[in-house]
Amino acid sequence: ERRYDAYPHEFSGGMRQRVVIALALAAEPKLIVADEPTTALDVSIQAQIITLLKSLARESGTAIMLITHDMGVIAETANRVAVMYAGRIAEIGPVADTIHRPRHPYTQGLMASIPSVQESRPRLAQIDGAMPRLNAIPQGCAFHPRCAQRDLRCDIDRPELQRVGVSFAACWRAGEEA
């Protein structure tokens, strides 16, 4: 009741995010698309928003499509994950499988670039090169100019998603053991 007549600038970031979630749920949707719902929020507020989204989805039966670059949020929130590169799905599967056994070289690079609490590394891994402009995606696999595992086929043919275990990866070499 105290906040009913308040202006948006009088709310904190977390409060504004809760208002947007409430507005989204008011129509009782079957699907909510949440694009970076925790960006620019401090870690404790992020955790509250994630907890809120999970409980609301569970209680109402609403599915949530979460769009984020934060693998921690994905690990905490999602059941399945689709990793995209240059506008296409590179890998899709259960979160635990994708995080712990990434099949696509891009996903492998993303996971290797996350600091580990268990092991000390002098330097984080990085993916060499740069993302292609979406109007200049190379022939073949879009990731091939940056991929250390590429072969000639990658330069010519664009791979479709193929089953690898319980996941799918758009990589000609995804089924090979590393």
Side-chain angles (χ1 to χ4, degrees):
E1 286 181 34
R2 290 183 344 197
R3 295 293 189 166
Y4 185 77
D5 291 323
Y7 291 96
H9 71 273
E10 297 175 313
F11 288 89
S12 69
M15 290 172 139
R16 285 193 297 263
Q17 202 66 328
R18 287 180 184 89
V19 169
V20 170
I21 291 168
L23 287 171
L25 291 169
E28 299 179 355
K30 294 197 182 315
L31 171 68
I32 294 174
V33 178
D35 190 353
E36 297 286 359
T38 60
T39 298
L41 300 176
D42 68 56
V43 176
S44 63
I45 301 300
Q46 280 184 0
Q48 290 175 17
I49 295 298
I50 294 303
T51 301
L52 176 64
L53 281 171
K54 285 169 57 175
S55 67
L56 291 172
R58 196 171 33 254
E59 291 167 13
S60 68
T62 301
I64 298 175
M65 178 186 292
L66 182 63
I67 302 167
T68 184
H69 66 280
D70 188 330
M71 293 304 279
V73 169
I74 291 166
E76 178 65 30
T77 309
N79 298 322
R80 293 182 53 80
V81 61
V83 177
M84 297 186 72
Y85 183 82
R88 292 182 55 94
I89 294 176
E91 182 167 352
I92 187 169
V95 169
D97 189 61
T98 304
I99 288 174
H100 298 296
R101 296 192 64 206
R103 310 302 177 129
H104 193 280
Y106 178 62
T107 311
Q108 292 167 358
L110 287 177
M111 298 314 301
S113 70
I114 298 172
S116 173
V117 178
Q118 286 86 17
E119 65 182 70
S120 176
R121 295 184 242 169
R123 216 179 142 160
L124 291 177
Q126 67 181 30
I127 301 171
D128 292 331
M131 290 273 299
R133 292 187 323 273
L134 293 182
N135 64 354
I137 295 175
Q139 180 180 342
C141 175
F143 189 63
H144 86 263
R146 303 175 71 188
C147 183
Q149 300 175 35
R150 74 179 173 270
D151 60 28
L152 291 176
R153 187 173 188 185
C154 303
D155 298 346
I156 300 163
D157 297 325
R158 180 170 57 193
E160 296 298 322
L161 287 169
Q162 56 186 329
R163 181 177 284 282
V164 186
V166 295
S167 296
F168 293 83
C171 179
W172 296 116
R173 304 188 71 185
E176 298 174 10
E177 285 299 317

